[in-house]
Amino acid sequence: MNDTMTLSQRADALEQQMSDELDYIVIKSRLYSLAEGDMGPPPNAGALMAQNPKARVLMGDDPRLPAMPEKPTLIDFFRYRFGPATHVLQSARHAVNAGLPEKMILACLLHDISTMGLIRGDHGYWGAQLVEPYVDEEVTWAIRAHQVLRFYPDESVGYEYPASYVKTFGADYRPDDYVEQDYKRMRDHKWYMSGRMITVHDIYSFDPDVHVELEEFTDVIGRNFRQPKEGLGFDNSPVAHMWRAMIRPAKYL
Ligand SMILES: [Fe+2]
Ligand SMILES: [Fe+2]
């Protein structure tokens, strides 16, 4: 590649180099290119294949990612897809130390799985939906609520608007209107305090010396997460496709 190439020529050249070396072609979903601010047309699979006739678009497992078992469990997703889970592990440990009931420990352990494995924006809503068929209704409700309640202080439990939000979003940031509307609905709900408890244990100031292993929560998961015997993604539940999207995030169709 030389320096006179434009950015898109360089991207094309890189794509070409990849498809020469590998016998598969990765075509990203629209959402990923939009997240790059890219409104261009999607890569043309036909044209790429014409340049490398032995290549195929990716329809099976992605060789760049760790292989997953045929019937993946929640723990497999933690191991092979969610990346470092330090934040939720520390949250769950915090909840254990505070004497919270098991289902709330599970809620703390799962509260950010969407940011860890799927999508950041509205992560409470996505995360709640992911686990809805497998956990107590209150756990789903609390996970959905935590991202809304994070923006609103509650003196009764000593929860303040996070200083990190002032820094990250700016001092004049105000939550979107639909968040505000949901807050008004949530604060009068019978499970308000469960959602609030996640925010209380949603700690951002980590002690680097505290190391928490997922194995510490194997029993809590076993008792409170209804792991489908067919594996997450293959149980014909209304959210199975969402788990499959994390197993094969670059599947062509
Ligand atoms: Fe969160
Ligand atoms: Fe969190």
Side-chain angles (χ1 to χ4, degrees), residues 87 111-113 115 123-124 143 146-147 150 165 198 202 204:
H87 168 61
H111 79 277
D112 280 340
I113 58 169
T115 52
H123 72 281
I143 292 174
H146 94 272
Q147 78 149 84
R150 285 286 283 160
Y165 283 10
I198 298 183
D202 194 357
Y204 284 158

Side-chain angles (χ1 to χ4, degrees), residues 7 16 18 24 26 32 38 69 72 106 121 123 140 154 168 188-189 191 193 195 202 208 226:
L7 201 60
Q16 179 60 48
M18 276 178 69
Y24 64 92
V26 176
Y32 306 131
D38 176 4
L106 182 76
H123 72 281
T140 306
D154 183 342
T168 327
D188 297 321
H189 195 278
W191 288 329
M193 207 34 92
D202 194 357
R226 292 184 290 274

Side-chain angles (χ1 to χ4, degrees), residues 33 49 56 77 80 84 86 89 95 105 128 135 141 143 159 166 172 199 203 222 235 238:
S33 44
M49 289 169 70
R56 296 285 179 270
F77 276 89
Y80 304 122
T86 316
L89 289 170
I105 294 167
V135 298
W141 194 92
I143 292 174
Y159 179 81
V166 178
D172 53 357
T199 72
I203 41 161
D235 60 343

Side-chain angles (χ1 to χ4, degrees), residues 11-31:
D12 288 348
L14 188 65
E15 220 157 58
Q16 179 60 48
Q17 188 192 336
M18 276 178 69
S19 76
D20 287 346
E21 286 167 5
L22 308 168
D23 54 3
Y24 64 92
I25 298 168
V26 176
I27 309 282
K28 284 187 204 165
S29 282
R30 186 66 172 165
L31 191 61

